[in-house]
DNA sequence: TAGATTGTTAATCGATTAACAATC
DNA sequence: TAGATTGTTAATCGATTAACAATC
């Protein structure tokens, strides 16, 4: 149950969503790794290998029972439970995340939103009212919240992150373009939108450069 | 210039942002790979290796001239040019992306926003007015736009993506939780927010499970 | 039984790390 | 010159792929 590669974990989420869709369509009871792989864009060997980190879920010569595997993945990933989450930073991105559908389906519930901007405090964001971030620590402690979404400006990120950890937060989904320096046992996922975008621009730019080489040479 | 690992590319963006900050602070003219690595959370060997894919930028015994390396990375990544981008899907996420600062700094300019929802068409999103997606193809062609942000519901994603490609789009930043099936020469970056979040939940859940083992055993 | 498909082992591939000669 | 640091080569590590025995 330890040493699961990060790529495997990410594919597991994809498998889970795929199985959920299959289950909704309700056409087949069983799916094999070959079909799964083709449908989600990987190989059958990869699918079997990924699952093998967690146990045996299939039936040789037959495949995987869709509903069973789905529920197993649900438990493995932890999305069978409900998770309370706080948002810090009620800017454009933060507001979009609160309103984003699809988190609910994964058992995520954003229960509070905080900001330090007096103009934002009190505003509605989805079903929430933005609260003063001074209340942050108390509310996080009282509700025993472990997961936070950090969507504050880069220059505030480190300081806010430390406050979150001091208040009992154990995992941070970080949208600020800053390296957070936190205790090693705090889980951080850096969601760096600029990185994603620039890798696309790089490839686009490569194409164009090699095109012009064609014209010259 | 080919065969650059994706992780290298992503770190290059981090180095670039780091150097920009150093340049703004204007304290040192030169930085060495050791300091760079420590400050951005990797090793000096990794920094040198990453750069070596593109040439020689340093001075043995000295380090890298900050402003020079910055400009080199700018050109390598393609962010020295301005890139026109269209947004398709003016929901919460799409609107947040249009308003997101930080893209501008990377030379990205979102020049049009489209939607098929009559309630959204005509609304302002940042400085843009949302247009009917029926006009999409014509406008993309006319302005010779190569990059699109796809923020439509999952069920529409495949069909919209095909239309974008037919209109001349060469790279898609895909926020829809769908595998796009497109010609191999189209660049797609899947930005899957659910995947990121679930990997955090998995780790959080692991912690909690092993905690309870502690109490039992 | 014959055909299909799993779970796993071994082989391959690719990225990271360590070490060091070159040289400022 | 002595100390520092690059760029690169070789060693290591980790993930993917291929192959196949087990078995439904």
């Amino acid at each position: 149950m330890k040493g699961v590669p990060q790529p495997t974990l990410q594919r597991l989420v994809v498998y889970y969503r795929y199985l959920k869709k299959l289950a909704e369509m309700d056409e087949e009871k069983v799916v094999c790794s070959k079909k799964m792989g083709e449908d989600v864009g990987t190989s059958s060997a990869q699918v079997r290998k990924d699952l093998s980190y967690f146990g045996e879920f299939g039936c040789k010569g037959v495949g995987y029972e869709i509903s069973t595997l789905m529920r197993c993945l649900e438990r493995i990933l932890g999305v069978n439970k409900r998770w309370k989450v706080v948002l810090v930073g009620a800017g454009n991105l933060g507001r979009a995340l609160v309103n984003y559908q699809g988190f609910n389906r994964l058992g995520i519930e954003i229960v509070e939103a905080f900001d330090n901007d007096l103009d934002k405090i009190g505003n509605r964001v989805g079903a929430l009212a933005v609260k003063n971030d001074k209340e942050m620590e108390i509310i996080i402690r009282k509700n025993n919240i472990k997961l936070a979404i950090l969507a504050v400006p880069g220059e505030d990120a480190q300081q806010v992150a430390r406050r979150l950890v001091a208040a009992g937060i154990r995992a941070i989904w970080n949208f600020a373009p800053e390296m957070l320096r936190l205790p090693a046992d705090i889980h951080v996922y850096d969601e760096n939108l600029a990185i994603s975008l620039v890798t696309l621009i790089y490839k686009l730019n490569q194409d164009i450069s090699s095109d012009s080489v064609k014209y010259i040479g």
Side-chain angles (χ1 to χ4, degrees), chain A:
Chain A
M1 204 67 98
K2 54 202 269 276
V4 179
Q6 179 77 6
T8 290
L9 217 46
Q10 306 199 350
R11 281 189 298 268
L12 246 39
V13 182
V14 176
Y15 303 155
Y16 171 62
R17 202 172 43 206
Y18 170 73
L19 290 166
K20 222 169 162 179
K21 213 159 83 179
L22 281 190
E24 272 166 26
M25 297 189 343
D26 198 27
E27 286 168 6
E28 299 287 341
K29 285 247 163 301
V30 163
V31 65
C32 68
S33 60
K34 182 150 173 290
K35 176 165 162 54
M36 267 184 80
E38 277 166 11
D39 286 352
V40 306
T42 186
S43 69
S44 67
Q46 185 76 79
V47 171
R48 295 199 302 280
K49 182 77 179 175
D50 285 340
L51 294 175
S52 76
Y53 286 101
F54 300 93
E56 306 190 0
F57 305 100
C59 182
K60 293 182 186 193
V62 181
Y64 303 89
E65 202 193 340
I66 292 167
S67 64
T68 309
L69 184 55
M70 193 181 89
R71 273 192 298 270
C72 289
L73 287 181
E74 217 155 55
R75 285 190 49 236
I76 290 167
L77 294 172
V79 294
N80 57 331
K81 305 179 185 174
R82 290 206 70 73
W83 296 91
K84 284 183 287 186
V85 183
V86 295
L87 168 75
V88 193
N92 285 305
L93 190 62
R95 289 203 303 275
L97 291 169
V98 170
N99 289 309
Y100 190 59
Q101 304 302 325
F103 289 158
N104 255 319
R105 275 178 258 143
L106 298 169
I108 282 83
E109 196 185 347
I110 302 182
V111 293
E112 298 286 354
F114 298 101
D115 208 296
N116 66 357
D117 180 347
L118 295 177
D119 288 345
K120 286 182 190 143
I121 294 168
N123 288 356
R124 295 215 82 75
V125 176
L128 304 173
V130 178
K131 292 188 180 164
N132 192 317
D133 77 318
K134 294 202 173 97
E135 308 174 46
M136 194 169 77
E137 283 90 340
I138 296 167
I139 293 175
I140 288 171
R141 279 234 174 272
K142 202 172 65 188
N143 294 287
N144 194 31
I145 294 167
K146 297 297 172 205
L147 178 55
I149 302 174
L150 188 58
V152 302
E155 57 269 30
D156 301 342
Q158 177 63 55
Q159 177 232 336
V160 174
R162 274 203 226 279
R163 284 174 58 200
L164 289 168
V165 171
I169 288 291
R170 306 291 303 162
I172 296 177
W173 193 15
N174 176 37
F175 284 83
E178 278 293 310
M179 253 270 291
L180 302 179
R181 298 182 179 277
L182 297 172
D185 61 339
I186 305 297
H187 305 293
V188 177
Y189 193 107
D190 288 304
E191 194 73 67
N192 197 322
L193 298 178
I195 286 183
S196 329
L197 183 54
V198 175
T199 59
L200 269 183
I201 288 178
Y202 168 81
K203 284 171 185 163
L204 210 46
N205 197 35
Q206 290 291 103
D207 286 357
I208 290 166
S209 310
S210 63
D211 278 0
S212 61
V213 170
K214 265 186 237 162
Y215 296 131
I216 296 164

